[in-house]
Amino acid sequence: MPRQTRNDRTAQKACSAGIPDLLPTLAALLWLPQAALLAAAIAAVAVDASLAEIARFAALAAVLGSLRALIVWVGERASFRQAREAVSTLRNAAVLALASRSPLDATRTASGEAASMIAEQAESITPWLARFGPTRLKAVVIPLAIFLTILPLSWAAALVLLIALPVIPVFMALIGWRAQAASKAQLVEVGAMNAFLLDRLRGLATIRGLAAVDRVAERVEQEAQSLRARTMAVLRIAFMTSAVLELFAALGVAMVAVYVGFHLLGALGFGAWGGMLGLGQGMFILLLAPAFFEPMRELSAIWHDKAAGQAAHENLLRLAQEGRRLPDAGQSGPPAAAPVSATGPAVVVRNLDIGRTDHESPLAGGLNFSVNRGEHVALVGPSGVGKTTILSLIAGLATAPRGRIEVFGQELRPDTAMHLRAGMAWIGQNPHIFAGSLAANITLGRSGIGEDAVTRALAALLLDDVARARGNAAIGEGGAGLSGGEALRLALARIAVAPQAALILADEPTAHLDPVTAGEITDSLLELAQGRTLIVATHDPRLAARMDRSIRLAPLEGRAAA
Amino acid sequence: MKRILSDFRPFLGLMRAGTGRELLAGAALAALTGLMGMALLGLSGWFITATALAGLVPATALAFDVFMPSAAIRLFALGRTAARYGERLVTHDAMLGVLALLRGRLFRGWSAPGAARALAMRPARLLFRLTADVDALDTVYLRILVPLGTAIAAALAAGILLAFISPALGLAVFTVLVLAGGAVAGLTARSASPATLRRAARTETLRARVIDLASGQTDLLLAGRIPAQQEALAMLEARLAADDRRLNRIETGAGLAYGLLAAVLPPLVLVATAAFAAGGRIGAPGVAFALLVTMAATEPFAALRRGAVDFARARLAARRTGPVLRQPCPRIERDEPCPGLVAELRHVALRHDAAVAPILRDLSLSVRQGEHIALIGPSGVGKTSLIQCLAGDLSPETGSVRVLPSARLTQRTELFRDSLRDNLRLGAPGASDAKMMAALTQAGLEGIIHALPDGLGTELGDGGQGLSGGQARRLALARLMLRDVPLWLLDEPTEGLDGETARDVLARLRAAAGPRSTITATHIRREAEGADRLLVLGNGGIKATHIRGSPGFEAALDSLRPD
């Protein structure tokens, strides 16, 4: 279970004590001498000591306090830096996994969900990693240290705190459990509310089309109001548990104050090991009492961070988990650039088994065919027979369970896939439009593609009107405002500017298009493919008819076509 | 300052109008919590010191009234807990109330024609931004206003309490707290602002890049650009990390400043009051009281740092949502066409905001009552834009549009996470179950609905999940049929349905239309076959018109996709 161990490791890192994690505890411990100095100063005032002596105590206390603030500052900075680095590592690992997963992997996380995990959710990991460990350490050490400091002075005052002490772990657990439930419930509710709003906003055209804007707006408000009521019901309990903790803390302080007061007055003579406390000691105990409870309150306040951080952390790890990967994923070193032979067939497929996953029994087995240089070939057959899978295997987007593929005389292997891909171009049925300008969508950042090449490609694919309309404005978001035909022409323009791509693989390029547009796309595709090898997977008989020949794929024996 | 106020004005107005009283009460309770804490500490300090002094002499020890102060200490301890509990309840409840109102108002704002189109153009980014903005506005009250009020109240209370010892001391402590505390918060907000805004923009870019990597992976792979994309993402992440580190430096810097204030101010007050004690104006108990009150007064300032760092993001959210909140949902008002017509368009030019070139340049069209029209032409020619214009989603740039109320069936089936009943009622709020069942029967869904255990009460998932494509389309049709308007606008009504289902749906649609007019945008033959008139769009207007029965009509039908 690699995931489990990795999860444990980061979680351990969150809770184990590194040097920066110790600093907040160290700073909190400095409160002990600082409080002693302040108490001594008060005691000095009471015995009419010289102002200089009092000022010395006060100055020392100020110095210690400043030192404390500095240590907290250093600790916070260091913990944050470490935590933020861990988040960077997690994000980069998730991105790497996204980049090296095979496009054929059916278990891929939807892109929107992946984006939300990597972008927003990951943000909640930093506060958890940075603060939870140090705060927990403080919550263990500080009450104990204060108890041990007070005990030799007054067992009675220590006892008052001790009464609260066994109660606190119980409440800690309660709060942990409750706060977690509450924050989870609240997160779910808020998420549901946002989803509700998004759901309605996505259907805005329909809502407007049915003149239902006001009614839906009222529903949105009602829904948000009922969310408010449900959230408050959960929060009331969560706040109640932390109020009980607060109550114990406040009563603890009050009882200590009252006890010390009565003791100093002589009304309660017991509690100081047979002796009497002085004003300085009494004041010292009073100053320590709130600090006894403080770390616990802090810890309960960041419990929410923990729930959100852990959930986000698990999501990122899941995203980075192994799935079906690209053949050349994890290849290091320069790709093998064995000589690509100048003659012979463009693509040779031998004894190829194909499957959508690595383990599933193959969709088709023992495929053999070859495509000559410059030849235009259609792959036809019923849907589900594996046409897209064959194209993907030729493009090196997944590994075949069995068989051999040669492209331009060179075997497709993990170490050659990247090199061979450089000589190919792909066009799918729903080309992705990248966030960026039209021109950037054509060059895709490839070097050596000049402005004139882009202009020529735009003109050749009848995109110049669109280019004029769009200018440099960003498109993207699934090609907002681009029609299906325009998106395909854009994908063709990407091929037009890449003359080195001698093999064009087209996956159902005319599906979802009206006949006029489909005809135009077919013309453009054939024009682009002049002098290049073209393999088209298609259902469209008109497109198939314009190829040099068709390879008909039959479903595997004994298996019905899906 | 003025600009800040004007940025926040719409949201603050909403807060006041929504749960203003609760919000004030919450802030007051927060301040009360702080004051109780201060009183608890101050009184305890005074009590211990006073009892210690009294305890030295048996006579005064007996005379010392221990019960008032000790009772007050317990009262403050309990009161503080109660006030804190109340504060948390009231502030959260009030804020949730404001957010409920905000969501409703934002929805109305986004429903305005222009905003709705912007949303349709770039949905994911805008929707993400919208939720992020709502979250950011959440901080205005809970992280900025309440802590600010609490801190000021604490400073004021400390100032007043210390003024009993010496007015000058009280004034000095109040001034130092408010000036230093305020300056740190202000400087923090100002210096964090650029990084906060950059960070918000970069997070959006990170989202877009990850989507590009995941959805455009094949294109990037074949173009050999995966390493570059990965590198770009790593660089972006490094920049985000730098922003985060910078913000953390600023925030912890503020923490350090408040920490130093809390370390230095109480000892200073101690020395000052000790000087008064030496002068005999107060005793040691007064010194202890002043010390502890000052310590308590510095505490709430530490809570300002988070809000100060988030301030710029909240302001950005306020600025972005402001225009939407300011104006009530504007509508495109439409005049009625001449009697006998349902729509009358004269020399209409249509243009989307982002586009430089108009979609339609000059289009004139009259639709008679009961007439069925099909709009044909290649993708991108302006069929959907014309439908949008008729539906009031798009104002003509020039020319006039006069149209009767219409109902629109969008290209993509849009159903909602809700019960079947509420999905249907969207078009007809008062519709009875019987009427809805009749519409479902007309749409050919009655069998399926009867088979569902919850019938009309069946809940659908996001976007109507739980129904097949054909069922969803039929449900959308039933919803349309419930809407009693003279014109139906149908955008590719049977796209994605198999031939048999599509023909059935079309027949039912025609039967249900009765005397209504329909305008159908289509590229499938079956959808255009039943039309009285085929309008071929092209060249920014109507390229050709074919009346049913004319030779061009059949030819035009033949140019369409067979099935």
Side-chain angles (χ1 to χ4, degrees):
Chain A
M1 295 287 280
R3 173 176 163 237
Q4 199 51 47
T5 46
R6 260 158 82 193
N7 198 354
D8 284 352
R9 222 177 299 142
T10 326
Q12 251 170 25
K13 212 169 120 199
C15 305
S16 73
I19 298 283
D21 294 359
L22 293 173
L23 293 178
T25 305
L26 181 67
L29 284 174
L30 275 185
W31 174 242
L32 294 171
Q34 197 189 347
L37 284 165
L38 290 171
I42 299 281
V45 173
V47 296
D48 295 327
S50 76
L51 200 58
E53 193 186 337
I54 295 163
R56 243 195 326 275
F57 284 132
L60 268 176
V63 169
L64 274 182
S66 305
L67 186 62
R68 199 155 67 95
L70 274 169
I71 293 174
V72 167
W73 178 66
V74 172
E76 276 185 335
R77 300 267 295 131
S79 304
F80 182 85
R81 205 175 304 221
Q82 268 186 5
R84 190 61 186 76
E85 253 167 49
V87 170
S88 278
T89 310
L90 283 166
R91 270 183 174 161
N92 290 337
V95 165
L96 176 69
L98 279 186
S100 53
R101 186 152 309 163
S102 166
L104 281 187
D105 187 351
T107 63
R108 288 161 65 98
T109 311
S111 61
E113 206 181 326
S116 137
M117 286 174 185
I118 292 176
E120 310 97 79
Q121 286 186 30
E123 285 177 3
S124 55
I125 299 177
T126 321
W128 167 55
L129 286 184
R131 290 170 57 204
F132 190 71
T135 310
R136 203 168 79 156
L137 183 70
K138 207 157 82 171
V140 172
V141 173
I142 297 305
L144 192 67
I146 291 179
F147 175 77
L148 290 177
T149 310
I150 294 178
L151 187 63
L153 298 172
S154 161
W155 58 259
L159 187 68
V160 170
L161 297 180
L162 192 65
I163 290 168
L165 199 64
V167 177
I168 279 166
V170 176
F171 276 100
M172 284 277 300
L174 258 182
I175 285 157
W177 169 57
R178 273 306 189 179
Q180 203 153 358
S183 69
K184 231 179 225 168
Q186 205 186 358
L187 274 180
V188 169
E189 294 276 2
V190 169
M193 182 63 230
N194 283 340
F196 179 88
L197 189 58
L198 299 193
D199 183 53
R200 296 312 195 263
L201 283 173
R202 279 194 197 104
L204 210 47
T206 291
I207 291 169
R208 287 179 50 78
L210 297 172
V213 170
D214 284 333
R215 278 197 304 285
V216 175
E218 276 160 30
R219 261 304 291 282
V220 169
E221 270 163 45
Q222 271 169 21
E223 203 65 22
Q225 289 292 0
S226 92
L227 163 76
R228 174 189 183 186
R230 287 194 304 272
T231 311
M232 286 316 294
V234 181
L235 285 182
R236 214 161 278 140
I237 301 167
F239 290 160
M240 183 57 94
T241 26
S242 58
V244 171
L245 175 71
E246 294 245 356
L247 182 64
F248 269 83
L251 281 182
V253 175
M255 299 262 286
V256 166
V258 171
Y259 160 75
V260 171
F262 275 75
H263 175 83
L264 291 175
L265 206 53
L268 296 172
F270 64 89
W273 306 107
M276 282 296 288
L277 290 172
L279 168 59
Q281 289 162 331
M283 184 60 71
F284 180 51
I285 292 172
L286 174 71
L287 287 175
L288 291 189
F292 180 84
F293 298 99
E294 191 52 38
M296 216 70 67
R297 285 169 50 188
E298 245 177 79
L299 190 62
S300 81
I302 66 165
W303 217 281
H304 172 83
D305 291 354
K306 187 188 170 211
Q310 267 178 334
H313 183 237
E314 274 164 28
N315 280 341
L316 274 189
L317 288 177
R318 191 158 50 79
L319 203 59
Q321 243 182 315
E322 315 275 313
R324 191 179 189 184
R325 309 216 311 164
L326 289 170
D328 53 335
Q331 284 282 315
S332 54
V340 169
S341 74
T343 55
V347 177
V348 178
V349 170
R350 289 279 162 262
N351 284 324
L352 188 70
D353 283 0
I354 57 172
R356 277 202 207 85
T357 70
D358 286 331
H359 314 294
E360 181 184 290
S361 58
L363 290 169
L367 276 173
N368 283 292
F369 66 85
S370 72
V371 177
N372 287 325
R373 260 163 226 263
E375 199 182 6
H376 296 174
V377 170
L379 288 180
V380 295
S383 43
V385 78
K387 297 188 294 292
T388 301
T389 312
I390 293 177
L391 285 188
S392 304
L393 291 175
I394 294 174
L397 301 181
T399 315
R402 194 171 68 92
R404 176 184 167 97
I405 296 172
E406 278 174 29
V407 180
F408 298 125
Q410 194 177 8
E411 189 188 352
L412 186 75
R413 288 192 315 259
D415 59 332
T416 59
M418 192 176 167
H419 173 67
L420 287 175
R421 253 187 240 128
M424 303 181 204
W426 178 280
I427 176 160
Q429 47 181 296
N430 289 313
H432 178 71
I433 311 295
F434 293 84
S437 68
L438 198 62
N441 259 288
I442 290 172
T443 64
L444 293 180
R446 289 171 287 188
S447 58
I449 301 173
E451 213 174 296
D452 48 332
V454 172
T455 316
R456 275 201 307 276
L458 285 171
L461 289 152
L462 311 173
L463 280 169
D464 29 8
D465 277 345
V466 182
R468 260 196 297 283
R470 296 298 173 128
N472 270 327
I475 48 177
E477 293 270 4
L482 286 191
S483 67
E486 284 164 351
L488 272 160
R489 285 199 202 107
L490 180 59
L492 287 172
R494 287 177 190 154
I495 301 178
V497 296
Q500 78 283 1
L503 170 61
I504 300 175
L505 304 168
D507 185 19
E508 308 254 19
T510 57
H512 309 313
L513 293 180
D514 63 88
V516 179
T517 312
E520 285 168 6
I521 293 292
T522 307
D523 291 343
S524 303
L525 178 63
L526 284 170
E527 197 170 318
L528 267 180
Q530 262 174 27
R532 311 199 217 193
T533 311
L534 170 66
I535 306 178
V536 178
T538 187
H539 280 297
D540 183 349
R542 277 162 295 188
L543 176 59
R546 295 185 63 180
M547 299 293 119
D548 298 334
R549 69 180 162 111
S550 292
I551 297 173
R552 185 163 298 279
L553 297 171
L556 197 63
E557 291 281 317
R559 277 182 63 120
Chain B
M1 195 63 195
K2 218 168 154 187
R3 286 227 306 278
I4 294 175
L5 270 181
S6 85
D7 282 344
F8 279 106
R9 188 161 295 131
F11 182 63
L12 293 178
L14 185 78
M15 283 173 68
R16 202 171 38 230
T19 49
R21 216 169 292 162
E22 288 97 319
L23 291 167
L24 274 181
L29 278 171
L32 186 66
T33 310
L35 299 186
M36 292 263 205
M38 183 185 290
L40 175 64
L41 269 183
L43 186 61
S44 301
W46 174 87
F47 179 63
I48 286 179
T49 318
T51 51
L53 293 180
L56 296 176
V57 188
T60 52
L62 285 176
F64 193 88
D65 173 16
V66 289
F67 292 100
M68 272 296 285
S70 67
I73 286 173
R74 274 169 301 192
L75 174 75
F76 286 137
L78 293 174
R80 193 180 109 106
T81 310
R84 180 140 197 92
Y85 180 64
E87 171 222 329
R88 290 172 125 190
L89 278 189
V90 173
T91 52
H92 281 82
D93 186 47
M95 201 53 216
L96 284 169
V98 171
L99 292 184
L101 210 58
L102 177 68
R103 290 193 165 103
R105 289 284 289 276
L106 284 178
F107 182 82
R108 277 175 217 270
W110 280 109
S111 310
R117 212 168 38 255
L119 205 61
M121 292 286 277
R122 319 208 57 190
R125 192 169 194 139
L126 273 180
L127 293 180
F128 164 68
R129 189 178 275 181
L130 185 62
T131 37
D133 281 348
V134 171
D135 287 348
L137 287 174
D138 191 18
T139 61
V140 171
Y141 176 69
L142 291 178
R143 285 223 180 117
I144 299 173
L145 291 178
V146 168
L148 198 64
T150 309
I152 291 173
L156 195 63
I160 291 170
L161 289 173
L162 294 180
F164 284 107
I165 296 169
S166 148
L169 179 70
L171 189 65
V173 167
F174 173 75
T175 313
V176 168
L177 278 175
V178 168
L179 283 188
V184 171
L187 281 176
T188 304
R190 174 179 287 221
S191 56
S193 170
T196 304
L197 297 179
R198 260 201 323 266
R199 198 181 170 290
R202 282 186 176 147
T203 308
E204 285 186 9
T205 312
L206 182 70
R207 266 188 75 86
R209 288 260 162 86
V210 171
I211 288 178
D212 278 349
L213 172 65
S215 297
Q217 193 195 7
T218 306
D219 291 289
L220 290 171
L221 266 171
L222 272 287
R225 301 297 296 168
I226 286 280
Q229 181 78 6
Q230 243 176 291
E231 204 176 305
L233 271 163
M235 189 131 69
L236 190 60
E237 164 57 16
R239 292 210 176 111
L240 262 174
D243 288 337
D244 279 346
R245 278 198 304 273
R246 185 174 164 70
L247 288 174
N248 180 256
R249 190 165 71 231
I250 293 167
E251 190 191 329
T252 49
L256 176 63
Y258 287 127
L260 292 176
L261 184 69
V264 172
L265 190 63
L268 278 177
V269 169
L270 173 68
V271 174
T273 47
F276 291 130
R281 273 172 63 182
I282 52 166
V287 177
F289 175 77
L291 172 70
L292 286 161
V293 160
T294 313
M295 277 169 54
T298 56
E299 229 172 67
F301 282 89
L304 291 180
R305 63 184 236 190
R306 187 70 237 171
V309 170
D310 288 341
F311 178 76
R313 180 66 188 88
R315 187 177 170 193
L316 177 68
R319 202 159 44 211
R320 283 205 292 231
T321 52
V324 178
L325 291 181
R326 233 176 252 132
Q327 54 180 351
C329 172
R331 278 154 219 269
I332 297 182
E333 295 295 340
R334 288 282 162 78
D335 294 331
E336 290 201 357
C338 305
L341 295 181
V342 291
E344 210 177 352
L345 280 71
R346 287 213 190 121
H347 305 295
V348 165
L350 292 178
R351 188 196 294 264
H352 289 293
D353 305 316
V356 181
I359 308 273
L360 292 175
R361 278 189 288 271
D362 184 1
L363 183 143
S364 298
L365 168 67
S366 298
V367 183
R368 289 188 305 277
Q369 239 157 35
E371 195 181 14
H372 301 295
I373 287 184
L375 304 172
I376 60 175
S379 334
V381 79
K383 299 191 293 282
T384 299
S385 303
L386 183 55
I387 295 266
Q388 281 174 343
C389 169
L390 287 164
D393 276 352
L394 188 59
S395 287
E397 195 178 38
T398 56
S400 72
V401 176
R402 300 205 279 175
V403 61
L404 290 178
S406 63
R408 172 179 175 198
L409 182 71
T410 50
Q411 208 168 10
R412 204 165 49 88
T413 306
E414 292 176 335
L415 296 174
F416 302 99
R417 172 185 280 277
D418 218 332
S419 65
L420 276 176
R421 185 180 284 112
D422 284 332
N423 264 293
L424 283 169
R425 273 204 184 131
L426 208 60
S432 63
D433 280 10
K435 208 171 158 200
M436 283 188 251
M437 282 312 296
L440 288 170
T441 309
Q442 232 171 353
L445 266 181
E446 79 280 17
I448 293 147
I449 305 297
H450 281 308
L452 291 171
D454 294 332
L456 283 172
T458 306
E459 291 286 331
L460 299 182
D462 266 351
Q465 259 171 13
L467 295 178
S468 74
Q471 288 167 352
R473 202 64 185 160
R474 284 173 193 267
L475 184 61
L477 279 177
R479 184 172 61 188
L480 182 84
M481 287 168 184
L482 279 167
R483 186 131 179 83
D484 195 17
V485 287
L487 173 62
W488 283 351
L489 303 168
L490 311 168
D491 202 349
E492 305 191 2
T494 62
E495 174 67 36
L497 299 185
D498 63 76
E500 200 180 322
T501 313
R503 260 174 259 284
D504 178 55
V505 163
L506 283 171
R508 288 169 186 281
L509 197 59
R510 240 163 257 148
R516 294 183 184 85
S517 309
T518 64
I519 298 178
T520 309
T522 182
H523 57 74
I524 313 179
R525 185 189 171 108
R526 64 191 180 220
E527 291 177 355
E529 274 170 350
D532 302 319
R533 223 178 347 152
L534 291 179
L535 302 180
V536 187
L537 297 192
N539 303 330
I542 297 174
K543 211 160 77 175
T545 304
H546 303 292
I547 313 280
R548 168 180 285 283
S550 71
F553 191 87
E554 280 303 317
L557 282 184
D558 286 338
S559 74
L560 297 174
R561 207 176 81 191
D563 222 351

